[in-house]
Amino acid sequence: MATSSRSVSGAEPISHGRVLKLAAPIILANIGQPLLGAVDTAVVGHLPSPAFIGGVAIGALIFSFLYWSFGFLRMATTGFVAQARGASDHQEIRDIALRAAILAFVLGLAVVALQVPARMIAFWAVEAPLRVEALAGAYFDIRVWGAPATLLIYVGIGWMIAMERTVSVMALTLSMNGLNIVLDLLFVPVLGWGIEGVAWATLIAEVTAAIVGLAMIVMMHRPLGGRWRLRGLLSDREKILGLVKANGDILVRTLCLIFAFAWFTAQGARLGETLLAVNAVLFHFILFTGHALDGFAFAAEALVGGAIGKADRARYRVAMRMTTIWAGIVALTFAVFYLVAGGLLIEMLTDLEEVRASARLYLPWASLIPLAGVWSYQLDGIYIGATRTREMRNGMIIALVVYLVAGHLLLHLLGNNGLWLALYVFFLMRALTLYVWLPRIDASIRATTLKSP
């Protein structure tokens, strides 16, 4: 019989079935993202030089800096909306959505306006061979115009996750990625647009998804109480300061994470075009796993946030335990699958024999990393739901410092093997710091309960 927890408010209990119901659509939706990256790599991987793979890898990396740094728009939206939902504050649910959407659009316009200095800084920070840099620049110049749309999508997805509308997230994400893949296959192999075709496919898909996502959010709000309002929306100083603080903490945390991955890619670039392409191919294994495990992390965000909104310690503990158990099972499944079928996946991603041969040598590193990374992914979800952003920020800073020190030492000793080993150190250090501080969340719920009349 499935373990469950029923709160005193009579809310739906947290069961294994409910966790899977929340996580499964997110897993299917998120797998589409690295699948899209794999298609991007595959369509250029059959062009006559590994420089095209490197160009897509560097171009995508730059947008990881530009867009992942705004990941606080999704994460903060999810945490605050989930807690408002747990407290049955329907007006605040609307207000958070509108505040976040306005912020996202303004920040997106700022990215477009500052694209020239952003491009210069990006290519200064990420060293790559001149041919790779030229291809990545062509990709950047097209895709950057989708910034407002992309950031609005972040807010929409964050709101849907908090409201446990994960099937809607799946529908929106898969339709966006599906359109992107179709356009990839049309623009590159058929029309011969090269790396520019990959960028145009992404831009068109992002703008389309933003429009559809906003329409979905408006429709979902109709059955809820409250009303849309602009007057007074930004006048609540306490709520604004709380949102700014949480967003700032998550921004620092996200920048550290992106820098860690950027440093990994940049070190691979210094090892030559072939190893850059090898690491780009194998990094898709990590992305597949991370996006799948995010399903359970996102479920933890919604369920933990709801429990905290209700000040229900028992419900919080069940949410934490059940989502983590399933995340561990899925991580183990991915590790076994990669060990068995990783060679076939490499062949699907590129037909360049020198890249294939080198990638097989480093396959065990990519295959087993799900078992090292799952714990940090899951703890992130718990902390986001609890809006304990300061601990997330501090833990990431500590992990990054340890990672860079270990990476410099191991890279000189073991080459590309040392680079992969350092990535293990990074994931495990992230998990360790968050685990040490985990009792603070339980204590804060207990304190809230004792203060309640």
Side-chain angles (χ1 to χ4, degrees):
M1 183 172 64
T3 306
S4 65
S5 169
R6 185 179 298 278
S7 72
V8 294
S9 63
E12 181 184 352
I14 298 175
S15 63
H16 289 295
R18 186 177 178 191
V19 169
L20 292 175
K21 183 179 178 180
L22 287 173
I26 296 295
I27 292 172
L28 292 175
N30 282 354
I31 285 178
Q33 186 60 38
L35 177 61
L36 171 60
V39 171
D40 285 346
T41 300
V43 294
V44 296
H46 295 283
L47 296 176
S49 169
F52 288 95
I53 298 178
V56 169
I58 295 297
L61 172 64
I62 291 171
F63 282 98
S64 293
F65 269 107
L66 287 174
Y67 292 160
W68 287 7
S69 60
F70 296 112
F72 60 79
L73 292 167
R74 188 209 64 78
M75 289 182 272
T77 300
T78 300
F80 284 112
V81 170
Q83 292 184 22
R85 182 171 183 249
S88 300
D89 189 344
H90 299 298
Q91 183 59 56
E92 182 62 11
I93 291 173
R94 286 179 179 261
D95 290 348
I96 293 169
L98 193 52
R99 287 191 198 104
I102 292 170
L103 178 61
F105 189 72
V106 170
L107 290 173
L109 291 178
V111 170
V112 173
L114 297 173
Q115 62 179 281
V116 173
R119 189 184 194 276
M120 292 174 60
I121 293 171
F123 285 107
W124 170 80
V126 181
E127 296 181 15
L130 290 178
R131 189 179 182 191
V132 172
E133 184 174 318
L135 291 167
Y139 178 94
F140 176 95
D141 291 342
I142 296 168
R143 190 178 166 189
V144 70
W145 292 92
T150 300
L151 300 189
L152 283 171
I153 292 169
Y154 285 1
V155 170
I157 289 176
W159 186 90
M160 292 179 195
I161 291 170
M163 299 300 291
E164 300 189 23
R165 302 294 293 266
T166 54
V167 173
S168 298
V169 175
M170 179 183 69
L172 178 64
T173 306
L174 290 183
S175 62
M176 177 178 67
N177 291 334
L179 175 61
N180 200 333
I181 289 171
V182 169
L183 294 176
D184 263 345
L185 297 175
L186 172 64
F187 292 162
V188 182
V190 176
L191 299 180
W193 289 4
I195 202 167
E196 291 87 349
V198 175
W200 275 112
T202 303
L203 172 61
I204 294 171
E206 287 171 342
V207 172
T208 303
I211 295 170
V212 172
L214 287 175
M216 292 170 65
I217 296 273
V218 171
M219 292 177 62
M220 291 176 195
H221 267 294
R222 287 179 179 174
L224 299 176
R227 59 186 176 83
W228 295 109
R229 60 180 187 179
L230 287 174
R231 181 178 298 178
L233 185 66
L234 303 178
S235 62
D236 191 325
R237 183 175 180 181
E238 183 178 350
K239 290 179 179 177
I240 294 299
L241 289 177
L243 183 64
V244 169
K245 178 182 178 299
N247 285 340
D249 291 338
I250 297 174
L251 173 61
V252 173
R253 171 260 181 200
T254 304
L255 288 174
C256 289
L257 177 61
I258 297 168
F259 182 82
F261 290 157
W263 189 85
F264 179 89
T265 301
Q267 300 312 304
R270 291 192 178 99
L271 295 174
E273 282 190 5
T274 297
L275 283 179
L276 172 62
V278 165
N279 288 347
V281 168
L282 292 178
F283 207 79
H284 287 300
F285 290 38
I286 299 174
L287 294 177
F288 271 115
T289 304
H291 283 75
L293 294 176
D294 271 348
F296 298 100
F298 289 2
E301 292 175 21
L303 296 174
V304 167
I308 290 175
K310 297 177 184 296
D312 190 330
R313 291 173 68 199
R315 192 177 184 86
Y316 157 72
R317 291 173 179 175
V318 171
M320 180 175 61
R321 182 174 68 251
M322 287 189 179
T323 54
T324 302
I325 288 172
W326 281 106
I329 292 171
V330 171
L332 178 61
T333 301
F334 267 95
V336 172
F337 174 74
Y338 288 152
L339 286 172
V340 173
L344 294 176
L345 295 176
I346 291 170
E347 292 180 4
M348 290 172 61
L349 291 171
T350 180
D351 57 4
L352 297 171
E353 192 53 45
E354 68 271 26
V355 176
R356 286 180 172 181
S358 294
R360 292 188 190 99
L361 296 176
Y362 298 103
L363 177 60
W365 290 114
S367 298
L368 297 178
I369 209 165
L371 300 178
V374 59
W375 317 115
S376 59
Y377 298 147
Q378 194 61 22
L379 285 163
D380 274 350
I382 293 167
Y383 276 78
I384 290 167
T387 58
R388 302 286 297 200
T389 55
R390 183 181 65 178
E391 287 90 344
M392 292 178 65
R393 178 200 66 197
N394 294 344
M396 183 64 75
I397 291 172
I398 293 170
L400 178 62
V401 171
V402 173
Y403 165 65
L404 293 177
V405 172
H408 279 291
L409 295 174
L410 293 170
L411 184 61
H412 288 296
L413 291 173
L414 302 173
N416 202 43
N417 284 304
L419 190 59
W420 280 92
L421 179 57
L423 201 57
Y424 276 73
V425 172
F426 176 62
F427 279 119
L428 294 174
M429 184 57 62
R430 283 177 59 196
L432 178 61
T433 54
L434 294 179
Y435 179 77
V436 168
W437 294 324
L438 193 60
R440 296 181 184 180
I441 300 177
D442 191 274
S444 69
I445 301 173
R446 184 172 182 272
T448 301
T449 304
L450 291 175
K451 290 179 182 178
S452 300

